[in-house]
Amino acid sequence: MTAEHKLSYYINNSDKILETKFNKKIRIGILSSFTINGLKETIQVKSADKNIDCTTYVGAYNQYNQEILNIESNLYKFSPDITFLIIDTQNILGDFFYFPYDVSILERKNFVEKKLKELQTLIDIFTSNTKSKLIIANFNIPTYSPYGIFETKTEYGFHQMVEDLNRKLSNNVAKSNSVYVYDFNRFILQHGENNIFDSKQFFFGDMKIALDYIPHLANDLMSYVTAHLGLSKKCIVLDLDNTLWGGVIGEDGFNGIMLGPEPPGNTYVEFQRVLLSLFQRGIILTINSKNNKDDVLKVIEEHPYMILKKEHFASMRINWNDKVSNIKEIANELNISADSMVFFDDDPVNREFMKLNMPQILTVDLPLDSSQYVQTIKQMNEFDVLNITAEDIKRGKMYVEQQKRNNLEQATPNLESFLKNLELKIIIKNSNEFTIPRISQLTLKTNQFNLTTKRYQESDIKKISDNDKYIVGCAQVEDKFGDNGITGVFIVNKTNSQEWFIETFLLSCRVMGREVEKAILGHIINCAKEDNVELIKTQFISSQKNKPIEDFLPNCGFKKDGDYWYYSLKAPFIIPTYLEVSIE
């Protein structure tokens, strides 16, 4: 990854952000107990680099309490989508920062409980007055202690007070879908307290974060921005030689490549371990390599120190074609957009070729030293998401199962025979605490088979679900090769006794082309008939990416009138017989 710019770079460039048509927009509030100059400009430039139009509001110096408690404050008038709240340890502890041992253990514990309640009150008032997500920073544990080396011998000492406050704060918001704790303590540990804290800047300007490290903080906070907007990456495309192992398999042979417990082979083993950990939380792994396929498969299947196996790769392009052509084929095979992919290759020529021809793909500048590969990928925040769902965890496995479906499709003479052989089962589910995170996630990420491309946060889905005038549901798709998970979403507004309006209808690209959409639509129509509804109305809002759904409505019997499409429930609707539909 490229080195971080100085703060001056972001301040100078914040005024140069062009008034252009950005793909996404976001409003960000920043509240802090100390001076935090430059954070706003840095976030704006970093957002623009990701094609995000970012408007920011920075609260007055150390006025976070007033901004949150006063419902007429400028913060609420600004109406942010995300609000960052950063309170430093000395501010929250007050006199206890230097004099915690002036009181008893019980009084120290009571003090922490008091501060926790104050924070919870701020959180509750904020969440009840805005739809904004609140990202509250936890508190760094200073290396300093009034008791010095005796600190570790002290019951409920200074450091334990801060640790307890952090732990309880995290526990309090763990189940909230609108409040998150940013690990500011980890940020200090990563960069070093002596680097982050500049005593001169603190005493003369109450700056608790040195100006040189504001861009690093902004980079951390951008994880929440991209995750909120559904811009996280979900697929890693990997070179092999000198990327997953050292050396060139075609020249060095099976026994000659560097992969094992001795350096530098251990650097590649460790890199593969990190990749496997990402696979296990839902990141898709693929291969794009110029190589002899038999040589590669022998390593993957037989090498004793190969961590990643064949079952971990959803797609493999091992040939002598150019890597841009290969990566396009991988995207088409997996039916994912190129902008959700990350490319790892040790060869700078291949990287430059990819950047020039596929700029929407994130091409990582791997360092020359393979011992730095692990640190490079660990420092990336492009894979961060606000919620890891059950479908996310199974995603890698699901895409590997997709290869079996592709093989069946190629061996079957026509589409209908293929779909019959798949033994498709569609389970219709209502929205609930278990399905709402996935429903929200699909609305944020699904672009191709999406009728209106409306985006909903978890809080939005919950609010709509609680409204009796709406039906919010989803569809889980299974077949003989495995479970595709929840891959369809529908939101229906029961406008009146005669008419329903489909506000959202979408299908993950993972199950496109299997007529699952007809099972979902059939369910909606059957529910409408049971309520004696006469007409279903909807709208197709065209975008740059949702062309695959443009024929869906006319193909299902909808008629267009002006800007809307109508389906008369007097007309019969037939769900294909090879789709087994059940309602949970």
Side-chain angles (χ1 to χ4, degrees):
M1 299 296 287
T2 56
E4 184 56 83
H5 296 290
K6 293 286 188 183
L7 180 61
S8 57
Y9 166 87
Y10 294 103
I11 292 176
N12 292 335
N13 282 279
S14 63
D15 292 330
K16 300 176 185 177
I17 297 174
L18 298 175
E19 290 290 334
T20 184
K21 187 178 180 181
F22 289 94
N23 283 346
K24 299 280 186 177
K25 292 185 177 183
I26 194 163
R27 299 175 69 81
I28 295 176
I30 300 172
L31 303 178
S32 175
S33 64
F34 53 91
T35 305
I36 199 157
N37 293 343
L39 182 61
K40 174 187 78 169
E41 292 85 353
T42 308
I43 289 177
Q44 286 176 334
V45 174
K46 285 181 176 289
S47 295
D49 289 343
K50 295 181 181 294
N51 211 5
I52 302 167
D53 180 13
C54 174
T55 307
T56 54
Y57 169 78
V58 181
Y61 168 75
N62 199 21
Q63 297 291 302
Y64 64 90
N65 265 303
Q66 293 89 325
E67 292 274 11
I68 292 174
L69 296 175
N70 177 14
I71 61 173
E72 300 296 326
S73 71
N74 289 329
L75 173 69
Y76 293 121
K77 290 175 183 175
F78 174 73
S79 188
D81 300 305
I82 290 180
T83 301
F84 295 110
L85 173 59
I86 306 173
I87 309 169
D88 68 281
T89 306
Q90 191 168 348
N91 180 283
I92 198 76
L93 294 184
D95 287 344
F96 277 73
F97 187 84
Y98 285 111
F99 315 115
Y101 301 116
D102 275 0
V103 300
S104 67
I105 295 170
L106 179 60
E107 286 174 295
R108 291 199 291 272
K109 290 183 177 180
N110 288 339
F111 175 80
V112 167
E113 290 297 332
K114 175 188 172 187
K115 289 299 170 182
L116 187 68
K117 287 179 181 176
E118 289 176 3
L119 289 171
Q120 191 60 52
T121 298
L122 286 177
I123 291 169
D124 292 342
I125 291 173
F126 181 84
T127 53
S128 63
N129 286 290
T130 176
K131 292 174 65 177
S132 170
K133 280 188 167 58
L134 178 65
I135 317 299
I136 181 170
N138 67 8
F139 304 97
N140 72 292
I141 302 167
T143 53
Y144 152 84
S145 165
Y147 269 21
I149 61 174
F150 193 68
E151 168 72 24
T152 57
K153 291 283 189 179
T154 308
E155 183 181 350
Y156 204 74
F158 174 54
H159 290 169
Q160 286 185 5
M161 288 174 66
V162 184
E163 289 170 355
D164 194 28
L165 182 59
N166 282 344
R167 181 173 59 254
K168 289 176 176 175
L169 176 63
S170 291
N171 290 341
N172 278 9
V173 305
K175 293 185 178 180
S176 170
N177 57 25
S178 60
V179 184
Y180 296 81
V181 173
Y182 164 58
D183 197 348
F184 183 65
N185 186 58
R186 180 200 56 78
F187 173 75
I188 302 290
L189 288 172
Q190 180 182 359
H191 296 285
E193 185 181 71
N194 290 339
N195 295 321
I196 296 294
F197 184 77
D198 184 310
S199 56
K200 187 172 184 179
Q201 290 181 14
F202 165 60
F203 285 116
F204 285 91
D206 196 19
M207 298 179 188
K208 300 291 175 69
I209 303 173
L211 294 175
D212 285 347
Y213 286 87
I214 291 293
H216 294 279
L217 174 64
N219 196 56
D220 269 15
L221 300 184
M222 282 299 297
S223 299
Y224 296 95
V225 175
T226 54
H228 174 82
L229 293 172
L231 298 177
S232 306
K233 308 296 183 183
K234 65 179 181 181
C235 176
I236 295 176
V237 184
L238 294 156
D239 175 46
L240 297 175
D241 294 330
N242 291 310
T243 301
L244 285 193
W245 54 71
V248 179
I249 184 62
E251 298 174 3
D252 300 314
F254 183 88
N255 295 317
I257 60 171
M258 291 169 280
L259 186 66
E262 301 298 323
N266 56 353
T267 66
Y268 298 99
V269 171
E270 194 72 4
F271 184 52
Q272 288 196 35
R273 286 195 177 115
V274 177
L275 289 166
L276 180 57
S277 72
L278 289 171
F279 170 86
Q280 290 177 344
R281 54 145 282 193
I283 303 301
I284 307 163
L285 302 182
T286 67
I287 291 174
N288 184 357
S289 172
K290 289 187 176 183
N291 249 312
N292 183 309
K293 190 171 184 177
D294 291 339
D295 292 341
V296 168
L297 291 179
K298 182 176 174 64
V299 174
I300 292 174
E301 293 171 355
E302 300 178 22
H303 199 288
Y305 295 107
M306 189 73 188
I307 303 298
L308 297 173
K309 301 298 184 181
K310 191 175 180 180
E311 63 265 23
H312 297 131
F313 297 106
S315 177
M316 295 185 185
R317 287 300 181 276
I318 306 166
N319 51 42
W320 299 102
N321 300 336
D322 71 87
K323 297 203 170 185
V324 168
S325 298
N326 277 345
I327 210 165
K328 287 179 179 178
E329 289 184 8
I330 292 171
N332 287 334
E333 178 186 344
L334 301 180
N335 208 358
I336 60 176
S337 60
D339 57 13
S340 68
M341 304 173 86
V342 180
F343 180 56
F344 285 89
D345 195 309
D346 70 293
D347 187 347
V349 175
N350 284 332
R351 296 200 299 263
E352 191 62 25
F353 184 59
M354 189 65 69
K355 289 177 184 178
L356 288 171
N357 290 277
M358 299 286 285
Q360 66 271 48
I361 290 174
L362 174 60
T363 297
V364 178
D365 288 320
L366 278 177
L368 293 173
D369 183 358
S370 61
S371 68
Q372 300 302 307
Y373 286 6
V374 167
Q375 203 59 19
T376 298
I377 195 168
K378 281 183 178 179
Q379 289 176 353
M380 294 178 65
N381 60 7
E382 281 79 8
F383 305 111
D384 284 330
V385 292
L386 293 177
N387 197 331
I388 297 177
T389 65
E391 278 70 22
D392 290 327
I393 294 171
K394 295 183 289 185
R395 183 187 292 120
K397 179 174 177 286
M398 289 173 179
Y399 274 94
V400 172
E401 290 168 350
Q402 182 62 28
Q403 290 180 325
K404 299 175 183 177
R405 297 184 186 96
N406 293 340
N407 294 336
L408 174 63
E409 186 172 13
Q410 291 170 9
T412 310
N414 56 60
L415 178 61
E416 188 172 341
S417 298
F418 164 64
L419 295 176
K420 285 179 180 178
N421 287 329
L422 261 186
E423 300 172 12
L424 283 156
K425 297 179 182 177
I426 293 91
I427 304 104
I428 306 294
K429 300 170 177 276
N430 289 324
S431 61
N432 54 44
E433 61 178 310
F434 303 107
T435 61
I436 283 174
R438 176 60 175 168
I439 291 172
S440 168
Q441 185 184 66
L442 281 171
T443 69
L444 291 171
K445 284 182 169 289
T446 306
N447 294 307
Q448 296 181 66
F449 204 93
N450 190 332
L451 202 59
T452 59
T453 64
K454 289 181 180 178
R455 312 301 183 185
Y456 302 87
Q457 298 297 323
E458 285 184 40
S459 55
D460 299 324
I461 298 296
K462 187 177 188 310
K463 185 176 180 180
I464 297 170
S465 300
D466 291 339
N467 189 332
D468 291 339
K469 290 187 176 181
Y470 283 87
I471 300 173
V472 182
C474 56
Q476 180 177 338
V477 180
E478 299 175 356
D479 59 38
K480 69 179 182 181
F481 293 114
D483 183 0
N484 290 278
I486 294 173
T487 46
V489 168
F490 57 92
I491 299 175
V492 179
N493 182 349
K494 296 192 280 187
T495 312
N496 54 56
S497 59
Q498 282 80 42
E499 182 181 293
W500 283 5
F501 185 82
I502 300 176
E503 291 195 359
T504 289
F505 190 101
L506 62 84
L507 202 65
S508 168
C509 56
R510 194 187 304 162
V511 294
M512 279 170 53
R514 300 181 208 169
E515 301 202 330
V516 173
E517 62 274 14
K518 292 184 178 178
I520 300 172
L521 180 59
H523 169 72
I524 295 172
I525 289 172
N526 288 338
C527 289
K529 286 182 176 178
E530 289 175 8
D531 267 21
N532 298 315
V533 173
E534 297 176 2
L535 201 65
I536 291 179
K537 178 182 175 183
T538 191
Q539 189 175 20
F540 169 59
I541 301 175
S542 178
S543 71
Q544 291 180 333
K545 296 183 178 180
N546 68 350
K547 189 174 177 61
I549 200 174
E550 68 178 355
D551 294 328
F552 165 63
L553 295 174
N555 287 346
C556 289
F558 280 77
K559 305 296 181 185
K560 191 175 185 184
D561 186 0
D563 293 333
Y564 295 93
W565 292 81
Y566 297 87
Y567 182 87
S568 170
L569 290 176
K570 294 177 181 177
F573 186 86
I574 300 173
I575 299 174
T577 55
Y578 44 76
L579 300 177
E580 182 183 322
V581 184
S582 61
I583 302 169
E584 191 175 274

